[in-house]
Amino acid sequence: MSYINKGDRPTRAGFGEGLLEAGRKNPDIYAIGADITSSVGANLFAGEFPERFISLGIAEQNCAGVAAGLALMNKIPVFTTYAVFSAIRAADQIRISICYNNLHALIGGAHAGISVGPDGATHQALEDVAVMRSLPHMTVLSPCDATQANLLTQKALLELNGPVYIRFGREAVPDFTSPDDYTEIGKAQIMREGNDLTIIATGHMVWEALQSAELLAQKGIEAKVINIHTIKPIDKEAILQAAAETGLLFTVEEHQITGGLGGAVAEVVAEQGGARVHRIGIPDSFGESGTPDELLEKFNLKAHRFSPIIESEYHEFLRAGRK
Amino acid sequence: MTKITDSRLLLELSYNIRALIVKMLSTAGSGHTGGSLGLADVFTALYFNELNHNPQKPLWPDRDRVILSIGHVAPVLYATLAEAGYFDKSELFTLRKIGSRLQGHPGRDTGLPGIETSSGSLGQGLSIAVGMAIAAKKDNSGIRIFSIHGDGELQEGQIWEAAMAAAHHKLDNITAVVDVNGLQIDGPTTKVMNLEPLGLKWEAFGWNVIGCNGHDFSDILRAFREAREFRGKPSVILASTVMGKGVKSIENNHGWHGRVPSSTEAVEFLCQIDESYRIELSKSELSK
Ligand SMILES: Cc1ncc(C[n+]2csc(CCOP(=O)(O)OP(=O)(O)O)c2C)c(N)n1
Ligand SMILES: [Mg+2]
């Protein structure tokens, strides 16, 4: 199966559509505004359901607590702001008020990753997955495109029961999946088959991974590509199967290589598998200002930048007789 | 639950609760004595008079909600809940022990009847109360939300975020109670981080401010009544209390914020509680 870009769209738009749709289906869904309602995509919901939109201003810690209070009264709150402020600034409030109470609340992390661009390091959430992933009860979602963001937002609100974190980006990126693709929270998606190595990606990097697989194919290397849209609970089975089949795994993410997707995959493989894992992402550093493209280039998060890394690692792997 | 209005009965209950607090903390070997004792009268008035609740049906949907924002005074909550019949008093002696439903700071996941939320990280409870109060208003329900705070706790910025939100959304179904004992771990609040003028701060944030003597039942009940009857703004009760109230030898001593009596001290404390009870009782007889 090969994927075609239906046209660039930001994943936050998909989140906004999913929130609106879920709001139409369930009258208990409430959205909380933290003064950046439109840029996180919650304006659609706020417009259609003004009575279920609660403006709380620039007060993220309070927002997380109010979400907990709403959930304790059987509402389904959605608190979304930039990921640096929802997942990181309000981490203690999410930990105690939401997770320790095991409440069904959706926390949106907007503008996640390095591709936020010119706003610079303060606004580039590169640790949100690590923080959210370590919280008990929390489910962590990272959709690969707008279509999937829409789908997962609805599933998180209408099917799950517990705290959920969903991260999405700012930039318009290829929208290539179909709403009809089999999508289940907790299940990895095999986007492409290949026997030589596996690229495991999340978020915006799934498209890049598919491009990379094409570039590698031109060199005679067949890469399997896996989309991990659910970073927690992670699909161990899919990872272990890829480890057994190809022996060499690459993770690609717009996040620190510690604690995020790379960390999660390495944990699974170290405990139960026997493959080599090479993590591609932000190498324990802060971001900086630049255009999204410049930054993705700089941090080797474009297909044409990380493909050569994969290629040379692959040859090294063969030379070492690991295969 | 039937409301107790007789101050003498309330006094007796509050001193029973103080005795339970001393016993359970001494058995546990660690925990927070000072604040728990200081709040015994406020908790007694709340659970035995003001609150609309049913200990036999702790999950009754229309119950009023109590959010203990200062999780460290869990002993006063646990002892009050047990005294009100939410669970057997014998369970109080499992406090802080492995497998207990009485966690050092309240954990909702334990399923202990009467626990509305987990807490222990200061400053979070008022936000939860705001969320609950908004939900109650949306449902056109008459449920009231009580949140309990420490004075030191008010140094947390999140409290003021929540205070602003409660006033903005006109949440007159919230009554916040502040335990104004003037002390926190490092010493007097005036030295650690001054909160005064506290009433003016709440007023400036759009709240109805009510003061009371947190050890005088008729005054506490008056404060609750004023809060209940006030419309259009959330109410805050600034309850003046004495940390360690009832155990003379530790009253107003911030060193007892997070210390517990040894078993010999506990016997001594219980005698002091008995004596304080008699003194308070005779005072209330005199004032009649
Ligand atoms: C966010 C947070 N910071 C610090 C603490 C540690 N702590 C527990 S109680 C306390 C003092 C609270 O003072 P106050 O609210 O006046 O309570 P009191 O000492 O009067 O019982 C502190 C600093 C905590 N539990 N949570
Ligand atoms: Mg105090």
Side-chain angles (χ1 to χ4, degrees):
Chain A
M1 179 174 185
S2 76
Y3 290 88
I4 310 162
N5 179 8
K6 294 172 281 175
D8 288 359
R9 279 189 344 123
T11 45
R12 58 185 163 138
F15 167 79
E17 292 156 10
L19 173 57
L20 175 63
E21 201 45 47
R24 286 176 177 155
K25 290 176 183 156
N26 187 328
D28 286 331
I29 293 172
Y30 281 71
I32 290 171
D35 205 34
I36 30 181
T37 303
S38 297
S39 56
V40 302
N43 52 320
L44 296 180
F45 180 98
E48 187 159 326
F49 304 111
E51 75 288 355
R52 286 196 270 145
F53 173 74
I54 296 159
S55 173
L56 293 172
I58 315 161
E60 296 78 14
Q61 305 168 82
N62 184 47
C63 288
V66 170
L70 287 165
L72 282 163
M73 301 292 272
N74 302 316
K75 308 296 182 200
I76 304 171
V78 182
F79 158 43
T80 311
T81 179
Y82 296 152
V84 280
F85 305 134
S86 60
I88 298 176
R89 187 182 188 116
D92 182 32
Q93 286 74 14
I94 292 172
R95 175 172 180 264
I96 301 297
S97 292
I98 295 177
C99 289
Y100 193 25
N101 281 327
N102 197 7
L103 300 174
H104 187 200
L106 180 63
I107 295 142
H111 291 37
I114 193 79
S115 59
V116 172
D119 275 342
T122 55
H123 282 56
Q124 293 157 350
L126 302 173
E127 303 82 12
D128 55 317
V129 173
V131 174
M132 292 294 106
R133 190 169 79 84
S134 60
L135 294 174
H137 301 309
M138 184 66 92
T139 295
V140 178
L141 304 176
S142 168
C144 67
D145 67 0
T147 298
Q148 190 159 75
N150 179 332
L151 216 68
L152 289 178
T153 301
Q154 292 195 54
K155 282 179 176 289
L157 288 167
L158 303 172
E159 293 174 15
L160 289 188
N161 195 3
V164 188
Y165 175 67
I166 183 166
R167 98 190 288 242
F168 40 86
R170 176 182 187 281
E171 290 303 293
V173 292
D175 188 25
F176 57 96
T177 62
S178 153
D180 302 324
D181 291 347
Y182 181 73
T183 311
E184 186 185 337
I185 289 175
K187 285 268 173 286
Q189 291 174 321
I190 311 299
M191 311 297 283
R192 184 186 195 278
E193 287 294 351
N195 296 323
D196 294 324
L197 55 87
T198 307
I199 308 175
I200 303 176
T202 191
H204 296 171
M205 292 300 110
V206 175
W207 176 257
E208 294 300 324
L210 287 167
Q211 304 312 299
S212 172
E214 296 305 318
L215 294 175
L216 291 165
Q218 290 168 17
K219 308 262 179 143
I221 301 169
E222 286 303 323
K224 174 173 177 150
V225 176
I226 298 179
N227 171 21
I228 299 281
H229 54 62
T230 307
I231 299 181
K232 183 188 174 188
I234 201 156
D235 187 344
K236 291 184 182 176
E237 218 173 295
I239 293 167
L240 291 172
Q241 192 181 335
E245 281 171 14
T246 65
L248 179 61
L249 311 181
F250 294 85
T251 58
V252 195
E253 64 194 309
E254 272 195 68
H255 188 274
Q256 304 289 354
I257 55 172
T258 44
L261 174 71
V265 168
E267 286 161 17
V268 172
V269 172
E271 280 187 349
Q272 303 177 32
R276 184 177 159 77
V277 179
H278 186 102
R279 297 167 298 160
I280 296 167
I282 309 299
D284 195 20
S285 71
F286 280 102
E288 62 186 78
S289 292
T291 65
D293 273 340
E294 284 166 347
L295 293 169
L296 291 167
E297 293 270 346
K298 173 168 177 168
F299 287 97
N300 295 327
L301 291 170
K302 286 289 220 185
H304 70 105
R305 296 283 294 178
F306 64 77
S307 296
I309 300 173
I310 292 179
E311 192 187 341
S312 72
E313 283 290 322
Y314 174 67
H315 289 302
E316 177 66 25
F317 186 71
L318 289 185
R319 266 198 301 281
R322 297 282 294 274
K323 194 140 189 168
Chain B
M1 211 170 135
T2 47
K3 295 184 187 302
I4 297 178
T5 45
D6 183 341
S7 285
R8 282 168 312 175
L9 282 181
L10 291 170
L11 193 68
E12 187 182 339
L13 283 167
S14 78
Y15 276 83
N16 287 346
I17 287 168
R18 284 190 168 89
L20 288 171
I21 290 170
V22 165
K23 290 180 197 167
M24 67 197 285
L25 279 169
S26 151
T27 307
S30 67
H32 300 79
T33 307
S36 299
L37 289 172
L39 276 167
D41 300 317
V42 167
F43 269 70
T44 302
L46 182 58
Y47 277 85
F48 291 91
N49 183 290
E50 181 63 16
L51 211 58
N52 188 20
H53 68 135
N54 181 348
Q56 267 66 56
K57 287 192 194 145
L59 297 178
W60 171 44
D62 291 333
R63 69 193 183 279
D64 288 344
R65 306 296 203 271
V66 178
I67 297 300
L68 181 65
S69 189
I70 38 175
H72 66 279
V73 298
V76 70
L77 174 64
Y78 296 153
T80 308
L81 289 175
E83 188 68 46
Y86 276 87
F87 51 87
D88 197 89
K89 282 181 197 162
S90 61
E91 194 171 351
L92 293 175
F93 300 97
T94 66
L95 174 69
R96 292 180 169 244
K97 302 260 189 277
I98 190 108
S100 173
R101 298 197 293 178
L102 281 68
Q103 293 290 295
H105 295 79
R108 184 168 168 270
D109 62 345
T110 63
L112 186 72
I115 301 292
E116 300 287 1
T117 182
S118 307
S119 60
S121 177
L122 294 169
Q124 301 194 15
L126 194 56
S127 301
I128 296 178
V130 168
M132 289 181 141
I134 290 173
K137 292 252 175 203
K138 297 286 180 190
D139 292 344
N140 290 316
S141 119
I143 295 171
R144 297 179 62 220
I145 322 290
F146 295 84
S147 63
I148 315 293
H149 305 275
D151 47 3
E153 185 198 17
L154 303 184
Q155 290 153 3
E156 286 284 358
Q158 188 185 353
I159 291 284
W160 301 98
E161 295 180 1
M164 201 172 351
H168 178 82
H169 291 283
K170 301 187 174 54
L171 302 177
D172 53 12
N173 48 351
I174 290 184
T175 300
V177 180
V178 182
D179 176 29
V180 186
N181 58 16
L183 298 176
Q184 55 192 112
I185 295 180
D186 281 355
T189 50
T190 48
K191 290 243 171 69
V192 180
M193 177 51 64
N194 189 24
L195 293 155
E196 294 299 336
L198 188 54
L200 290 177
K201 283 196 174 81
W202 284 100
E203 222 173 279
F205 272 75
W207 285 59
N208 173 41
V209 184
I210 304 165
C212 82
N213 174 346
H215 301 305
D216 175 336
F217 281 107
S218 60
D219 209 33
I220 301 171
L221 296 184
R222 172 202 47 88
F224 277 134
R225 188 174 57 247
E226 280 183 33
R228 187 184 337 122
E229 287 167 359
F230 197 87
R231 293 287 174 277
K233 289 179 184 182
S235 290
V236 60
I237 296 175
L238 301 178
S240 301
T241 66
V242 171
M243 186 183 269
K245 174 74 179 176
V247 179
K248 270 270 168 317
S249 62
I250 67 163
E251 282 181 1
N252 268 321
N253 178 351
H254 67 85
W256 279 89
H257 157 93
R259 235 181 99 183
V260 298
S262 66
S263 46
T264 17
E265 281 172 323
V267 176
E268 167 62 23
F269 281 20
L270 290 170
C271 294
Q272 291 190 45
I273 284 174
D274 213 44
E275 196 182 331
S276 300
Y277 169 61
R278 282 165 213 285
I279 295 169
E280 294 295 331
L281 190 65
S282 63
K283 271 198 229 160
S284 74
E285 301 287 335
L286 280 178
S287 68
K288 281 183 71 175

